[in-house]
Amino acid sequence: MLEGNRVSRISVRGFAVASATAVTTVGAVVGVASGNPQSPSDNLETTAADATLLADVPMGQQAQVQVSSLAEQADAQAAVADATAKKAAEEDARLKAAKTAESKKAAADAKAEEEREAKERAEKERKEKEARERASRDSARDSVGLTAKSSYTVAEVQALARQIIPADQFQCFSNIVQHESTWNYLAVNQSSGAYGLVQALPGTKMSSAGADWRTNPATQIKWGLSYMNERYDGPCGAWTFWQANRWY
């Protein structure tokens, strides 16, 4: 037992001397700063001499000191572990949020691209449909009047006009013709010489639509539509002008 105490005393004394070395070094610096330098060896010996050895502490208190030290170490390690775990969790959450945002952006971009392509397809289909309808109307206009008749009734002339004039422009065209010639394709203005359904002045202008302009209402209708399109952007524009001026 004495031998054990001797060994513990020596071990603890070595620890006290080592600890005193660090304290002495600080003390030496303080001493130099205060103008009272001391020899490191003197400080070491003094500190070592004054140090309380662990062997001198009662056994119960030794256990308490050791347990307290272990508890402090455990608390410090737990705090470090908590901080590390918290940092890892924050980083994981940041990465997940970034991935989610990236996925949402990619989905939004894909949806926008699909909508753009759908609009382009719809616009293309609309233009193609308009082109087909235009071609159909042009074909109808070209074919109308190929079989000329010696005379036409008002109903027949109006039926020809419906085949040639776009549906949304027909009423405006009809209003002008009604006021100009009451749908008489042989009408002549005795004072001015204006001729036909649309009262072209002179009537020979209509020859650009066909040599049979005098007797073929279809030829007169095609010329009248062309004239209104070029000058008034369509029959409805011509009708608006006619209402304001009583001529067009």
Side-chain angles (χ1 to χ4, degrees):
M1 187 67 181
L2 291 176
E3 184 65 20
N5 287 339
R6 185 177 64 80
V7 172
S8 298
R9 183 180 298 274
I10 293 173
S11 299
V12 172
R13 183 177 299 277
F15 172 77
V17 171
S19 300
T21 302
V23 174
T24 302
T25 302
V26 175
V29 174
V30 173
V32 170
S34 61
N36 186 24
Q38 295 182 357
S39 171
S41 59
D42 294 340
N43 287 330
L44 178 58
E45 292 177 358
T46 302
T47 302
D50 294 339
T52 300
L53 301 179
L54 184 59
D56 295 333
V57 178
M59 292 300 295
Q61 294 183 12
Q62 288 181 25
Q64 184 177 358
V65 169
Q66 292 176 350
V67 170
S68 177
S69 176
L70 291 174
E72 290 177 356
Q73 291 179 13
D75 290 343
Q77 291 175 354
V80 171
D82 289 344
T84 302
K86 182 179 179 181
K87 184 176 180 181
E90 290 175 349
E91 180 64 14
D92 184 59
R94 185 188 67 79
L95 292 175
K96 288 182 178 178
K99 288 181 179 179
T100 300
E102 185 177 354
S103 298
K104 288 182 177 180
K105 183 178 183 301
D109 290 344
K111 184 178 180 180
E113 181 65 16
E114 289 178 359
E115 291 177 350
R116 184 187 64 79
E117 291 178 352
K119 288 180 179 179
E120 289 181 352
R121 286 194 300 270
E123 181 65 14
K124 182 179 179 181
E125 290 174 358
R126 183 187 67 80
K127 290 181 178 180
E128 289 176 349
K129 182 180 179 181
E130 288 181 352
R132 288 193 300 269
E133 292 176 349
R134 205 162 37 241
S136 178
R137 288 196 300 267
D138 292 343
S139 178
R141 290 169 194 164
D142 293 340
S143 63
V144 167
L146 291 179
T147 303
K149 296 176 61 176
S150 59
S151 64
Y152 299 84
T153 65
V154 170
E156 289 174 333
V157 174
Q158 290 176 340
L160 288 172
R162 287 186 182 278
Q163 295 181 56
I164 299 172
I165 306 300
D168 60 342
Q169 298 285 314
F170 177 78
Q171 190 58 54
C172 295
F173 183 87
S174 178
N175 292 340
I176 293 174
V177 173
Q178 182 64 36
H179 283 285
E180 292 291 328
S181 64
T182 62
W183 288 96
N184 180 4
Y185 66 99
L186 300 175
V188 179
N189 187 311
Q190 297 299 325
S191 62
S192 66
Y195 187 87
L197 292 170
V198 294
Q199 289 293 282
L201 182 65
T204 54
K205 286 182 177 180
M206 294 187 288
S207 62
S208 62
D212 58 350
W213 60 271
R214 291 181 180 84
T215 58
N216 191 338
T219 301
Q220 295 181 14
I221 293 168
K222 286 189 285 186
W223 181 88
L225 176 61
S226 177
Y227 170 79
M228 294 176 192
N229 284 339
E230 291 177 3
R231 187 161 183 174
Y232 300 104
D233 197 26
C236 286
W239 172 236
T240 299
F241 184 89
W242 193 98
Q243 289 176 291
N245 301 277
R246 296 298 169 178
W247 62 274
Y248 74 105

